[in-house]
Each structure stands twice: as C-alpha cells, then as structure tokens.
Amino acid sequence: MLPNTGKLAGCTVFITGASRGIGKAIALKAAKDGANIVIAAKTAQAHPKLPGTIYTAAEEIKAAGGKALPCIVDVRDEEQISSAVEKAVEKFGGIDILVNNASAISLTNTLETPTKKVDLMMNVNTRGTYLTSKACIPYLRKSKIAHILNLSPPLNLNPLWFKQHCAYTIAKYGMSMCVLGMAEEFKGEIAVNALWPKTAIHTAAMDMLGGSGIESQCRKVDIIADAAYCIFKKPKSFTGNFIIDENILKEEGIKNFDVYAITPGHPLLPDFFLDEQPAIVTKKADSYGAVPELKEEKMQLPPKPRSGAVEETFRIVKDSLSDDVVKATQAIYQFELSGEDGGTWFLDLKSKGGNVGYGEPSDQADVVMSMSTDDFVKMFSGKLKPTMAFMSGKLKIKGNMALAIKLEKLMNQMNSKL
C-alpha cells in the first residue's frame, strides 16, 4: 500500500459518485492527508442493494481526518452540479481537484439496450463528466494543484471492445475524449488525466453485475485510491495521460500487488478495454478487424474427440444436476451452437431436479448463449473461462447477464467431472 505524505492537506477534492466504491476510496485516501472532500452523489437515503449514502461517507471521511461536504448531485442535472460547486467554494474557498467517477453501465448489445439505458449512460458518463468539469474549471484554474481525473479507459479502437456493448463503450470513451480535449485546451493551467484499472475492482456494483463469488477475481478499491493519490502528487505538466493503476504504482516502487487482491494468489479478471490481459497470451490481431485469439498460459490437455462431444458434455451436466443446484440458480439457459454437433440445446435449472436436452426449452430462456461447439466444450471443461469467451467475442449473450454469470460458478463445480 502507498503511504500518505500529507501533500493534500487543506486541498479541496470534488468527487462525483463518492458515496461508495471507488469514489469513496479515493475520498478516504485524500482525507487521511486532511483534505476537504465534496461528496457529490445521488444517494441521500440507503439503497436496498447498495450500501452507503453521502452522509455515511461524510462520517467516514471525518473519521479518517478530512472535512466533508455531502451534496445531493445527479450529474445529469446541471443545476445540481452548479449548486454543489457553489457550496464547495463557499465552504472551502475553492476547488483544487475534480474526480469524475460517477458512471452508469449496461453490458448489452445494440438491440438489447433500451433507449432509456442508452440515455442514462450517455448523460451520466459523457455529459455528466463534461458538465462537472465545465463547472469546476474556473476554480481549478486558480489552484496551485489543479487536477481533473476521469475514471475512464485508454481510447482503444479495437472493434472487440465495441461489438458486445457499443453504447457503454461510446459513453465511457466520451469521458476519455474529455481528457484528450481538455488536457490540450487547459495545458499549463490544469492537469487532465484518465485512470483505469488493469483488473476488475471489487465494489457493490461489481457484485450486482457479476454475482456472488466474483470478488475472488477482483482487487480492492484501494489500488485505484493509491494510483489516484500518485497522480494528484504530480505537477500540472503531467497531463493528457491514460494511466493504468498497476503501472503508475510500479513507477512509485510498489512491488507486492497481492496486498490489493481480495484473494491473494487467485487469478484476476482483466478489466475491459485493455488488449494486454494478465495471465493470458494475446495473439496480436493482424488487423483491427480480427478478434485476438486468447490462449491460456497453462498447459492444456489434448482436446477430446469432437464427435459427440457436446452430447457427452450435456450428459455429464445432467448427471451433476440436483435440487440444490436448481434452487441456487433458478434460470433456463439456451445454447445456439455452430459447427459439428451444433444446433439448439437447453439447460433448465428452474424445473424440479433440472433438465437438459436438444432443442428449445419448454419455457422461455432467461439467457441465450451463442458460440461454436468447440468453445462450448472448452468452456464447460474449464479450458475457456466464460468471461474471457465473452470479452473476446467467442461467446455472445442475450438476456439476463447476472444469470449468465451464475452459470460460471456451476461450471467450476463440474470441471472435475468433464
């Protein structure tokens, strides 16, 4: 972990989405220096599934040694942004650092993304970042520190990162384009940078997105907080950078990254938008039109004969079913398989005892997965992680993403038998 230096004592840090997760972690790191934190977030009353409000965050910030100003801010509302900025300046005398952390996510393809979700992502991620920056810039220009930090990815134009969730990618890249433009526009006055994690980060939102059990594949929010702290210590001339958390911490001399892992030693889930993925050798695509071929580093057993492999896989799956598995899953999966032994198959984990078979399920599927028969067999035998298959475009998913991720846990239980 990166030690505090006291560098941010008395500085005012305006953070959107600071009531929980990454935003709150950055706030607490700065608070340990004695910083003033403006908590600009929507949650004034406790959410049934997500812990934390602007007021509980304020208490934690004060306990850590900082001062706190909780402000109800929906970044889609320009008046709420302006009001929070005015209150911050009135209370603390100015703004030194802005962290654009508030974000909305829906990992759905074009036809599966309702207009309401498209508007939410565009208005929170891109427009919210732009408007909050615009409101803070007149005060940041007066600061000796003057940093804007957007929690957004490097602008990787590999189509791989657009094809599965085009709207989300556009919305996140809008935040990154704010970095590109504003860094140049305010060069010498304000440092404008982006920060993105190398691996998945464990937050309450990640639990909702990935389901229980996902945390072992994640790092703690502390790694982002430490990386942000490194950036805030840099001069204004450090601008226009798209920073990966692990890389900047290595530059600071951090060698042991196990301290950031939820489960030290457990393989980590790479984050989106990065082609260089940990524990995976990515065969470089000859052109952006090609999808990178992902290969596990560990030695793989020779593949089983293809003839009847899908049928054999479903037979083993059927033998593994139980009322407990059905009770824990409560979902119907449909598989659209291309190649030898392909066609439509189903896995019913709603009916008593569960069922598998060829053809469509009797009730509507909650999740439809499309892939090749080879990748299907590899996935169920543990040689291809579903997350990796999805991220590399080998697996297409329609329907409930949380239920799709539940299936990954079930596969892990079956790997020893396949």
Side-chain angles (χ1 to χ4, degrees), residues 54-301:
I54 56 173
Y55 305 112
T56 58
E59 291 308 312
E60 289 183 58
I61 286 161
K62 289 172 191 169
K67 290 179 182 173
L69 175 64
C71 296
I72 298 171
V73 176
D74 181 336
V75 294
R76 293 173 291 179
D77 187 326
E78 192 171 9
E79 284 186 15
Q80 287 186 17
I81 295 168
S82 299
S83 171
V85 169
E86 284 169 20
K87 285 176 187 171
V89 173
E90 190 182 325
K91 185 174 175 74
F92 299 125
I95 296 170
D96 299 291
I97 296 168
L98 165 63
V99 180
N100 286 305
N101 166 68
S103 199
I105 183 170
S106 179
L107 297 176
T108 45
N109 63 31
T110 301
L111 298 179
E112 299 291 321
T113 312
T115 305
K116 190 177 175 183
K117 282 272 173 73
V118 177
D119 290 344
L120 176 70
M121 289 189 283
M122 301 299 172
N123 289 337
V124 171
N125 301 5
T126 303
R127 184 175 178 273
T129 292
Y130 185 90
L131 291 180
T132 309
S133 301
K134 185 181 175 185
C136 290
I137 283 167
Y139 303 102
L140 290 166
R141 277 176 142 170
K142 298 172 186 175
S143 169
K144 289 179 182 174
I145 293 175
H147 272 272
I148 295 175
L149 182 65
N150 294 353
L151 272 295
S152 65
L155 288 164
N156 182 352
L157 295 183
N158 184 342
L160 170 68
W161 301 114
F162 290 81
K163 65 183 285 188
Q164 305 287 6
H165 37 74
C166 190
Y168 174 63
T169 299
I170 292 168
K172 284 307 285 188
Y173 279 18
M175 295 174 73
S176 300
M177 290 167 86
C178 286
V179 170
L180 206 60
M182 292 177 190
E184 201 62 31
E185 186 177 354
F186 301 104
K187 191 175 273 187
E189 294 183 286
I190 304 167
V192 188
N193 296 289
L195 175 61
W196 194 245
K198 187 169 184 176
T199 72
I201 301 295
H202 184 238
T203 61
M206 177 60 80
D207 275 342
M208 285 179 74
L209 202 65
S212 61
I214 194 82
E215 66 271 12
S216 62
Q217 300 173 64
C218 301
R219 281 177 172 162
K220 300 170 189 171
V221 289
D222 301 343
I223 191 167
I224 293 286
D226 282 2
Y229 188 78
C230 289
I231 295 163
F232 301 152
K233 292 193 297 175
K234 302 272 188 188
K236 290 180 190 179
S237 56
F238 183 80
T239 191
N241 300 290
F242 292 88
I243 300 141
I244 304 301
D245 56 358
E246 187 176 300
N247 296 353
I248 196 167
L249 289 170
K250 279 180 179 172
E251 288 172 17
E252 287 282 324
I254 300 288
K255 293 185 175 74
N256 177 19
F257 286 89
D258 272 355
V259 295
Y260 295 114
I262 298 285
T263 309
H266 195 284
L268 295 165
L269 191 63
D271 207 349
F272 286 77
F273 309 116
L274 305 177
D275 287 344
E276 298 298 331
Q277 295 168 342
I280 298 235
V281 178
T282 306
K283 185 181 174 187
K284 300 292 182 191
D286 291 334
S287 74
Y288 272 138
V291 173
E293 181 183 322
L294 301 178
K295 293 184 178 177
E296 295 284 350
E297 276 183 341
K298 64 183 179 184
M299 221 175 112
Q300 294 189 356
L301 297 169

Side-chain angles (χ1 to χ4, degrees), residues 349-369:
L349 296 178
K350 264 186 184 173
S351 306
K352 186 170 171 62
N355 195 18
V356 305
Y358 185 77
E360 293 191 5
S362 52
D363 292 323
Q364 188 176 353
D366 298 291
V367 182
V368 179
M369 297 183 167

